[in-house]
Amino acid sequence: MKNILLTIAYDGSRFHGWQRQPSAVTVQGFLEQTMSRLFRREIRLEGTSRTDAGVHALGQRATMRTDIGIPTDRLARVVNNALCGREEGSYAVSPVRILRAEEKPEGFHARFDASGKKYIYRMSPARPDVFRRNYVYFTAQKQAGAGLDISAMQQAAEALKGTHDFKSFESAGGNPRLTTVRTIFDARVIPAAEALEKGSASRLGLQPDEVLFEVSGDGFLYNMVRIITGTLVEIGQGKRAPEEMKEMIEAADRTVAGHTAPPYGLYLAEVYYGEKTHGQQTQLG
Amino acid sequence: MKNILLTIAYDGSRFHGWQRQPSAVTVQGFLEQTMSRLFRREIRLEGTSRTDAGVHALGQRATMRTDIGIPTDRLARVVNNALCGREEGSYAVSPVRILRAEEKPEGFHARFDASGKKYIYRMSPARPDVFRRNYVYFTAQKQAGAGLDISAMQQAAEALKGTHDFKSFESAGGNPRLTTVRTIFDARVIPAAEALEKGSASRLGLQPDEVLFEVSGDGFLYNMVRIITGTLVEIGQGKRAPEEMKEMIEAADRTVAGHTAPPYGLYLAEVYYGEKTHGQQTQLG
């Protein structure tokens, strides 16, 4: 019995989220069905994160326990060809791709052993072109052309760092028995033009009108990144002061924070195991 | 009665092409239905090009003759809000957008008065990431990592320039009574990295692994750009010599040319009226 850890990229725009559902097309369901057919036995995945419908992944992780004979270093290639629905050499590109497969000790679990995650959120105060409608949040305002105050957003993001109770940034639906305390390793608001100059974000297909929010931490509450993003947008639009971020955290009350930004701007960028290597560069799958 | 010329961008991946069809979602049908409902009268468009299913547009053109009272300079904004399916201030982004609306003399026709068009084709010898599967042609080869010989493709593209019979590059389905002679103004094969450095193509969301084919001319036969692209890919892969392009043109026989590249890498970039301003920079909508 092998225990294989997969790194997975997907375009979430055509899926009803990660988690298997009986009557909706999900990323987990698509992967499990494709692999079960390919390997002629039931394949079950344990994913790290239940991403919502429309949310994308550059580096989702999932473990599978299986007795398939195929060498692990060939698994990604074989599964990716099957995901394209055609034979090797196909010209098709699937919305889901296995980026890496590696064997782990028997007890290793993609979710329980994760020490943290990194998310990226793409937004733009300019109306994105028709090709980015499922990938970038348009932070529309009444006054056409009004931008986002990046330095105010950066100042507010600083207040997120460290260990806090993030109850104000959790949607209903979270487990009420569990703690809402989380540690944020890093939180940055970056103009895409700056990220493009450094070359680090070129693989995301970013365009200069965009603003990125990158956040890493040991865990995130339900919709936490989207509520934080919505709050940062309101700060960037001048509707709230940057100093309010600290107060909102301290209030521990969802009603004081901003709106929930839409799912399609959100990317699960990276999952950390063991030491928190949250400085490393994220590669787009 | 006003005669209004529209410039239109669209993501073709969700549409069965431009042209209205009784039981399929098309760009023309979506625009006509939305505007007819909005203006409470039947709106009919005359488009410049019947783009195929999956083909995109940065600058499709269409004329509409109408007696609507709304000032032409406000038309794009009002229609774009309706295309988003919501009121003004919406956060949604539609797959179709009116970039410009301008009044033209009564006899002006979007197709018959066009003096030429420009197309862009995006391809990559590296498997594009999951987010580009509907936008870039993956020119797969058996040997993983095999690239495209850009200078061979550039040499072959030179042979396209000028006035030739392009019968070898026409799919069945073209009108057999009409001439297959066309004039190509310009034809270029450009590494995306080079286009990105110049900044000219940044709005396309290009990534450095891509290769662009840009071609402008007074007209194009059915599937002509896609067959030329497929032929250029075969030259770039070393399956044909660059010198063969001239021979293929002279043969005037579809069977001698290369394969038809898929629709989703193709962008109708620009339509020219009057003087052939084919040097001007294309803006992504």
Side-chain angles (χ1 to χ4, degrees), chain B residues 152-161 187-189 213 232 245:
Chain B
M153 294 169 76
Q154 286 169 333
Q155 187 190 329
E158 283 296 317
L160 299 165
K161 295 183 190 173
R188 296 170 191 224
V189 177
F213 174 51
L232 287 171
M245 185 63 91

Side-chain angles (χ1 to χ4, degrees), chain B residues 15-28:
Chain B
F15 293 99
H16 286 82
W18 164 263
Q19 197 180 26
R20 184 193 322 121
Q21 289 181 36
S23 57
V25 179
T26 68
V27 180
Q28 183 183 14

Side-chain angles (χ1 to χ4, degrees), chain A residues 9-11 13-14 56-58 77 81 84 88-97 127-135 137-140 142 144 202-205 207-209 264 267 284-285, chain B residues 9-11 13-14 56-58 77 81 84 88-97 127-135 137-140 142 144 202-205 207-209 264 267 284-285:
Chain A
Y10 48 84
D11 179 333
S13 56
R14 305 265 180 131
H56 314 289
L58 310 177
R77 186 186 172 86
N81 283 325
C84 292
E88 199 163 337
S90 159
Y91 290 69
V93 176
S94 165
V96 179
R97 186 172 313 155
R127 199 189 284 267
D129 59 72
V130 295
F131 303 103
R132 285 185 290 159
R133 71 194 184 291
N134 293 320
Y135 307 107
Y137 174 29
F138 172 37
T139 61
K142 290 278 177 199
S202 69
R203 299 223 60 195
L204 259 169
Q207 294 189 19
D209 56 274
Y264 51 81
Y267 297 72
L284 178 59
Chain B
Y10 49 85
D11 179 334
S13 55
R14 304 266 179 129
H56 314 289
L58 311 178
R77 187 185 172 87
N81 283 326
C84 291
E88 200 163 337
S90 160
Y91 290 66
V93 177
S94 165
V96 179
R97 186 172 313 155
R127 199 189 286 266
D129 58 72
V130 296
F131 303 103
R132 283 184 290 158
R133 72 194 184 290
N134 294 321
Y135 307 107
Y137 174 31
F138 172 35
T139 62
K142 289 279 178 198
S202 67
R203 298 222 61 196
L204 258 169
Q207 293 188 19
D209 56 274
Y264 50 82
Y267 298 72
L284 178 59

